[in-house]
């Protein structure tokens, strides 16, 4: 090859491939041990996957050797095969490169030596030995560069660069992974994108960047906060979107190819020179990105220097309603859920619940809850956030709100992280503490680099959790043994009108009612046709129960785009996206979002029996808890045929 990777990177934008692991699983490449073992037991499959990405337009092929270092392989009994697996993986990709008929480069994929789930990294000297061993085999196999990817600690990434440089002078691409916790983009060690770039600036990598964990939109914020580096090029490889466990416990990633391609262009405009995909991205994503790049003037460097936006700095927040001192609020009293459920169909009051969400401790949540009640909420709703950072437990928060405000508090209980007996103990504890309204669901673990949704305990799902709670209401425990006194939970369950397989979702809704659900709560809805389909199925089965629709005001076009393209099982129609696109992301956008939500609630008032009002936890102009609840409650009350306010 006449042009090196480094020379090509300086001349034009290079497009990487997508997720080899995702594509291998989708193609039937399943192994009981380590995924990289496919390089020796199914080499023809691995070669075919490389060929598909190359045909889609990729310039850079990553070897199928992620996490194929000794500390990672020894957990699968493969420690003695480190050289064999990495040598095979490099040769398979190199053979595809050599037959390409056009310039292409092979990147040897190297992960952190620390296996997932360990709180303390592998000892530095041992990690360096492991990386040198893996890289030596990759170099022998014919790679053109080394890509260090999905590192969650800058120090570990810096040590890995040095270990690579001890055995080869091939170029190195160094990528860290970040999580978004309430707007903060940080590594697992608490480092910002700018801090990571600063630590790696003089390490000798030809490119520094980010990959994995975040979808296209979230990763763009990381790239913007990383650049310009003043030295190494930038790289960006997002996941397709958020992962989601579907009915058969397999993992599905949200995120369509055209949305991915739009963001690839935005990475380039933000200064990235190497772009590609990570978990969930397929040859279709790569092909869409290649089409976008070849029709864009960023495919080759412009003749004038690129102006890269400076890292976004959040302005100092103005005093927000949820940060003001607490004011006494007289709640509507207990029993709203009981009265609502006892009401006769057709005359049942329209229930307005308010979700308590956002950053902060118990007192911040308490202030928001009081303002929601002052706006007209008769139930407070506590649900589990999909976050990795230490935060107040949802159970503790629900009990805190129950004790401090004279109003019903509902709690979402998930089963993914807890065994059956632990769940039973939790339920009995909640009952003793006075929390009586529960919504049972399976839930999803928080997104984690390398293990998007694989770190949960799946002994029971939401349906089994619901049956357990219903048995306790009948006075029996998980083994069918009588308990001292029956519980008195009011039980709900989740329903997902945005599910891909709506027929299956409707069947699950019927099963949940038969298992003991007295009411259903939707995932966020922005249109009602799919919900009508589920309600019709419940009616046809004779299992129609009261339904609460989760409704929230969008705060800007970016949020609408994110929900539409990167979040599974949420349908945001054009009728919502277009007004938000016109509103943009400025201070008035939340008002547009609230107006659209009010229109939806007015329409829903004759279809469902209540709403759960959702709002962003942080302060947004014109969208504090009181404003959101008051506006949406008024929309329901003012609708034709609206139910009597309760």
């Amino acid at each position: 090859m006449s042009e090196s990777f480094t020379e090509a990177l300086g001349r034009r934008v290079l497009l990487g491939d997508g997720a080899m692991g995702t594509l291998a699983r989708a193609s039937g490449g399943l192994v009981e041990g380590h995924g990289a073992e496919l390089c020796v037991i199914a080499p023809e499959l691995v070669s075919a996957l490389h060929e598909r990405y190359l045909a889609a337009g990729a310039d850079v092929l990553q070897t199928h050797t992620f996490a194929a270092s000794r500390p990672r392989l020894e957990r699968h009994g493969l420690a003695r095969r480190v050289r064999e697996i990495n040598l095979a993986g490099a040769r398979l990709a190199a053979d595809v490169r050599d037959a390409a008929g056009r310039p292409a480069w092979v990147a040897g994929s190297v992960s952190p030596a620390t296996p997932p789930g360990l709180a303390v990294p592998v000892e530095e000297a041992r990690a360096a030995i492991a990386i040198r061993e893996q890289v030596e085999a990759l170099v022998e196999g014919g790679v053109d560069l080394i890509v260090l990817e999905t590192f969650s600690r800058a120090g570990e990434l810096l040590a890995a660069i040095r270990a690579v440089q001890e055995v080869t002078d091939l170029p190195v691409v160094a990528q860290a992974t970040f999580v978004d916790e309430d707007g903060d983009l940080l590594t697992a060690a608490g480092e910002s994108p700018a801090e990571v770039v600063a630590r790696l600036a003089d390490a000798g990598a030809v490119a520094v960047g980010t990959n994995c964990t975040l979808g296209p939109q979230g990763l763009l914020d990381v790239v913007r906060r990383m650049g310009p580096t003043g030295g190494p090029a930038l790289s960006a490889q997002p996941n397709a979107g958020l992962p989601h466990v579907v009915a058969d416990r397999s993992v599905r990633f949200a995120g369509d190819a055209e949305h991915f391609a739009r963001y690839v262009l935005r990475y380039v405009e933000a200064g990235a020179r190497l772009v590609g995909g990570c978990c969930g991205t397929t040859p279709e994503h790569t092909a869409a990105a290649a089409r976008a790049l070849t029709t864009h003037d960023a495919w080759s460097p412009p003749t004038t220097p690129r102006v890269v936006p400076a890292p976004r700095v959040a302005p100092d927040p103005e005093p927000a309603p949820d940060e003001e001192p607490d004011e006494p609020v007289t709640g509507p009293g207990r029993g709203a859920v009981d009265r609502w459920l006892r009401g006769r169909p057709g005359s049942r009051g329209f229930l307005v619940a308010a979700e308590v969400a956002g950053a902060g401790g118990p007192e911040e949540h308490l202030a928001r809850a009081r303002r929601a009640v002052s706006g007209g909420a008769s139930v407070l709703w506590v649900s589990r956030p999909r976050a990795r950072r230490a935060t107040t437990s949802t159970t503790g928060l629900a009990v805190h709100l129950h004790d401090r405000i004279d109003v019903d508090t509902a709690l979402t209980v998930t089963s993914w992280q807890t065994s059956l007996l632990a769940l039973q103990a939790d339920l009995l504890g909640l009952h003793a503490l006075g929390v009586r309204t529960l919504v049972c669901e399976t839930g999803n673990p928080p997104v984690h680099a390398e293990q998007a949704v694989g770190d949960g305990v799946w002994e029971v799902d939401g349906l089994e959790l619901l049956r357990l709670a219903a048995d306790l209401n009948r006075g029996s425990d998980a083994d069918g043994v009588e308990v001292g006194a029956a519980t008195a939970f009011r039980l709900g369950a989740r329903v997902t009108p945005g599910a891909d397989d709506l027929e299956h979702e409707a069947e699950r809704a019927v099963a949940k009612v038969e298992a003991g659900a007295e009411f259903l709560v939707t995932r966020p809805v922005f249109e009602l046709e799919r919900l009508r389909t589920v309600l019709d199925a419940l009616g046809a089965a004779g299992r129609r129960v009261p339904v609460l629709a989760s409704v929230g005001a969008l705060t800007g076009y970016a949020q609408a785009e994110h929900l539409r393209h990167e979040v599974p099982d949420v349908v945001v129609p054009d009728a919502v996206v277009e007004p938000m696109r016109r509103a943009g992301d400025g201070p008035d956008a939340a008002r547009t979002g609230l107006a659209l939500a009010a229109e939806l609630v007015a329409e829903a008032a004759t279809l469902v029996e209540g709403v759960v009002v959702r709002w962003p936890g942080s302060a947004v102009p014109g969208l504090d808890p009181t404003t959101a609840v008051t506006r949406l409650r008024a929309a329901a009350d003012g609708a034709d045929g609206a139910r009597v306010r309760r």
Side-chain angles (χ1 to χ4, degrees):
M1 185 181 300
S2 59
E3 187 177 36
S4 70
F5 170 80
T6 303
E7 291 169 338
L9 189 65
R11 189 175 64 82
R12 66 184 181 94
V13 173
L14 297 180
L15 177 61
D17 56 9
M20 286 290 290
T22 301
L23 193 60
R25 287 190 294 272
S27 303
L30 301 176
V31 291
E32 292 185 2
H34 195 286
E37 193 179 7
L38 288 172
C39 293
V40 293
I41 65 175
E44 66 289 340
L45 172 62
V46 175
S47 294
L49 302 183
H50 285 314
E51 289 168 353
R52 288 183 61 187
Y53 280 117
L54 190 73
D59 299 304
V60 181
L61 301 176
Q62 290 188 206
T63 58
H64 191 41
T65 57
F66 182 85
S69 61
R70 185 171 294 270
R72 306 290 289 267
L73 289 175
E74 67 185 5
R75 306 178 93 193
H76 303 280
L78 299 170
R80 295 182 180 180
R81 303 181 71 181
V82 174
R83 179 178 177 275
E84 177 190 5
I85 289 172
N86 283 279
L87 184 61
R91 286 176 173 169
L92 290 171
D95 287 345
V96 174
R97 172 202 64 197
D98 293 344
R102 66 174 176 85
W105 296 267
V106 172
S109 174
V110 177
S111 77
T114 304
L118 291 187
V120 179
V122 168
E123 192 268 329
E124 186 172 325
R126 183 178 177 227
I129 292 170
I131 288 174
R132 288 196 297 268
E133 178 185 30
Q134 183 181 6
V135 170
E136 285 172 348
L138 292 169
V139 172
E140 183 182 351
V143 301
D144 302 298
L145 65 142
I146 300 297
V147 58
L148 302 169
E149 54 178 339
T150 324
F151 279 69
S152 58
R153 295 173 175 85
E156 191 175 11
L157 182 52
L158 181 60
I161 295 173
R162 292 168 177 163
V164 173
Q165 292 169 339
E166 290 175 6
V167 296
T168 182
D169 59 359
L170 289 177
V172 178
V173 174
Q175 297 184 145
T177 193
F178 298 83
V179 293
D180 184 347
E181 301 284 3
D182 297 318
D184 287 336
L185 295 166
L186 301 170
T187 65
E191 301 145 321
S192 71
E195 289 169 338
V196 171
V197 169
R199 291 200 65 180
L200 302 182
D202 299 321
V206 298
V208 297
T210 180
N211 76 293
C212 204
T213 309
L214 298 172
Q217 190 178 97
L219 206 82
L220 178 60
D221 280 343
V222 176
V223 174
R224 286 172 171 164
R225 297 181 194 192
M226 279 187 153
T229 67
L234 283 173
S235 64
Q237 295 180 297
N239 286 351
L242 284 176
H244 184 61
V245 178
V246 294
D248 62 358
R249 299 286 173 86
S250 63
V251 178
R252 177 174 66 83
F253 281 84
D256 60 81
E258 296 306 320
H259 174 72
F260 173 80
R262 286 194 295 274
Y263 273 85
V264 163
L265 290 183
R266 293 171 188 175
Y267 302 146
V268 174
E269 291 164 354
R273 307 294 300 157
L274 173 62
V275 292
C278 204
C279 299
T281 54
T282 66
E284 287 70 32
H285 293 82
T286 304
R291 289 192 299 271
L293 287 169
T294 53
T295 58
H296 190 272
D297 59 8
W299 181 251
S300 296
T303 55
T304 56
R306 175 182 288 108
V307 177
V308 181
R312 295 193 306 175
V313 178
D316 292 334
E318 297 179 0
D322 61 6
E323 295 172 344
E324 294 173 357
D326 292 339
E327 298 175 2
V329 174
T330 303
R334 314 281 189 198
V337 174
D338 262 342
R339 294 191 296 273
W340 179 65
L341 289 174
R342 289 199 306 266
R344 294 189 304 276
S347 62
R348 180 180 284 114
F350 194 82
L351 190 74
V352 176
E355 183 181 48
V356 181
E363 294 312 308
E364 288 95 337
H365 287 103
L366 182 62
R368 294 168 192 156
R370 283 173 166 157
R371 284 169 174 79
V373 171
S374 71
S378 53
V379 178
L380 295 173
W381 202 277
V382 181
S383 57
R384 181 178 295 278
R386 194 170 185 176
R388 296 200 68 84
R389 244 194 217 170
T391 184
T392 305
S393 76
T394 50
T395 299
L397 178 58
V399 172
H400 181 64
L401 296 179
H402 173 79
D403 289 345
R404 300 289 295 276
I405 304 179
D406 187 25
V407 66
D408 283 359
T409 300
L411 173 66
T412 297
V413 181
T414 60
S415 66
W416 69 264
Q417 84 288 20
T418 314
S419 67
L420 177 64
L421 293 182
L423 284 167
Q424 179 172 271
D426 288 346
L427 294 177
L428 292 172
L430 285 168
H431 191 270
L433 291 169
V435 177
R436 302 295 172 85
T437 302
L438 305 180
V439 175
C440 301
E441 64 173 317
T442 304
N444 276 291
V447 178
H448 186 285
E450 302 187 42
Q451 289 187 309
V453 288
D455 58 353
V457 176
W458 300 95
E459 185 174 332
V460 297
D461 63 6
L463 190 58
E464 290 302 316
L465 173 60
L466 185 61
R467 291 183 177 127
L468 170 64
D471 284 343
L472 292 175
N473 275 352
R474 290 188 286 268
S476 299
D477 68 8
D479 296 319
V481 178
E482 289 187 11
V483 294
T487 56
F489 290 121
R490 305 315 302 250
L491 298 175
R494 287 285 187 184
V495 62
T496 307
D500 286 344
D501 188 343
L502 196 54
E503 181 178 354
H504 175 74
E505 182 62 23
E507 292 172 354
R508 288 276 294 180
V510 170
K512 289 172 182 177
V513 174
E514 292 174 344
E518 301 172 87
F519 63 97
L520 298 172
V521 186
T522 73
R523 296 200 183 277
V525 293
F526 296 90
E527 56 84 35
L528 298 176
E529 285 309 308
R530 296 175 65 85
L531 177 56
R532 285 190 175 93
T533 300
V534 174
L535 297 181
D536 288 345
L538 287 166
R543 293 292 185 266
R544 180 67 164 88
V545 294
V547 174
L548 293 170
S550 293
V551 178
L554 295 168
T555 58
Y557 177 57
Q559 186 191 22
E561 189 179 36
H562 173 72
L563 288 170
R564 181 170 186 167
H565 296 287
E566 298 185 31
V567 179
D569 299 333
V570 175
V571 175
V572 186
D574 289 342
V576 172
V577 171
E578 282 307 304
M580 294 310 302
R581 183 185 61 78
R582 293 191 294 271
D585 290 295
D588 292 333
R591 295 184 180 89
T592 300
L594 186 55
L596 291 168
E599 291 176 7
L600 183 72
V601 170
E603 183 182 357
T606 56
L607 181 67
V608 297
E609 289 73 30
V611 293
V612 178
V613 179
R614 307 171 69 247
W615 72 85
S618 55
V620 174
L623 194 57
D624 61 273
T626 302
T627 302
V629 174
T630 301
R631 179 73 180 275
L632 298 185
R633 163 132 248 167
D637 289 347
D640 290 339
R643 293 162 177 82
V644 177
R645 179 171 175 171
R646 180 174 297 274

